[in-house]
Amino acid sequence: MAKLVVILNGAMVGNHFIDKGRITIGRRSGNDIHLDDPGVSKEHAVIQTVGNDHIFEDMGSTNGSTLNGSRIAKHILQNGDVIDIGAYQIKYANIKANPEMDYDRTMMIRTVDREVGAVPQSAGREAGSHASVSTARSSLRAGFPLGEVRGVKGEFAGQKIELERPLKTFGTTGEQVAVIMRRPPGYFITHVEGTKTARVNGRAIGNEPHTLQDGDVIEVGQEKLEFFQKK
């Protein structure tokens, strides 16, 4: 199980396992990780579990967040990442992370409100050389057909979008958001935000990753999409 190690002035002051879908971080005492420092906002950041990944997102804090020395808004965490919030450091540890799949964790994901999110870290920092990253990517493509969605209504109406990136976010921020993930052996859709989950073929997907099949109709936020695997 992944965990977060909280460090202050070089000493460990907390150890938190990521055992639920959403971990809140901030100065307010009700947060899952309470950081008692004036440089930390009351609701500073969250870490959300999406499939096998953990996504850090700054919640518009006053002083911001940095990861491995770079200012970030949103980032898919990799084993060994260090987040700086105020006077605190939070180290992410996930010894079960699969190094062959780390290339997708280095890629930028858009913020849910369609603005640029994470600042991409150097490709292959954890996974190794560029050659090994390229090999992993080629192996993934060879494993199953490339997918695409066709917009029926909403922002992408009339468009075809290839799902060649590991993650693609759809929906309406503050209302309902889901992410389509590309992983062996296929594509999955997972709930990210909202009191109600997205629907596939008229049924709510729930909080666990839902496998997508050719011809599935997805409804999320104000969008309606059809999923296809290219022949």
Side-chain angles (χ1 to χ4, degrees):
M1 181 181 294
K3 67 177 181 179
L4 302 164
V5 179
V6 182
I7 300 167
L8 179 65
N9 298 324
M12 187 182 75
V13 295
N15 195 358
H16 304 264
F17 286 101
I18 303 179
D19 56 2
K20 60 180 183 177
R22 180 182 170 91
I23 303 290
T24 61
I25 304 169
R27 194 174 75 249
R28 192 187 298 276
S29 60
N31 284 286
D32 297 305
I33 299 179
H34 174 221
L35 304 180
D36 187 14
D37 180 78
V40 179
S41 296
K42 293 179 180 178
E43 288 83 30
H44 196 103
V46 297
I47 294 175
Q48 296 194 83
T49 300
V50 179
N52 294 321
D53 291 314
H54 299 109
I55 301 176
F56 174 88
E57 182 174 5
D58 188 282
M59 301 301 289
S61 65
T62 301
N63 295 317
S65 307
T66 62
L67 184 137
N68 304 328
S70 299
R71 185 78 171 244
I72 58 163
K74 194 170 186 178
H75 176 81
I76 304 176
L77 293 170
Q78 303 175 53
N79 184 41
D81 277 345
V82 177
I83 305 161
D84 284 274
I85 298 178
Y88 290 84
Q89 289 185 317
I90 300 175
K91 185 173 182 179
Y92 173 77
N94 187 0
I95 60 175
K96 291 186 178 180
N98 182 353
E100 292 184 358
M101 294 302 294
D102 270 349
Y103 80 88
D104 65 6
R105 292 177 171 87
T106 68
M107 302 182 74
M108 184 189 302
I109 55 175
R110 300 185 310 169
T111 53
V112 168
D113 61 359
R114 309 301 179 191
E115 296 177 354
V116 173
V119 175
Q121 306 299 312
S122 57
R125 183 177 61 83
E126 294 290 335
S129 68
H130 291 287
S132 64
V133 171
S134 177
T135 300
R137 184 183 292 110
S138 298
S139 298
L140 179 60
R141 286 175 177 166
F144 56 90
L146 185 67
E148 69 177 19
V149 292
R150 303 174 191 175
V152 177
K153 72 174 184 178
E155 178 182 351
F156 302 105
Q159 299 182 41
K160 293 182 181 179
I161 303 170
E162 286 192 349
L163 301 172
E164 59 182 355
R165 295 292 183 93
L167 297 174
K168 184 71 173 178
T169 303
F170 296 95
T172 305
T173 184
E175 179 182 331
Q176 190 180 69
V177 177
V179 63
I180 294 179
M181 300 184 294
R182 186 170 189 250
R183 294 280 168 81
Y187 286 87
F188 302 83
I189 183 169
T190 303
H191 176 69
V192 173
E193 179 183 351
T195 56
K196 294 183 178 180
T197 64
R199 301 173 71 85
V200 173
N201 301 327
R203 294 187 176 183
I205 62 171
N207 292 312
E208 297 297 322
H210 177 90
T211 304
L212 289 172
Q213 305 291 339
D214 192 51
D216 278 348
V217 176
I218 302 164
E219 296 173 89
V220 53
Q222 302 299 317
E223 298 171 16
K224 186 173 183 179
L225 312 154
E226 290 182 274
F227 172 80
F228 295 94
Q229 288 188 325
K230 301 177 97 175
K231 306 302 182 184

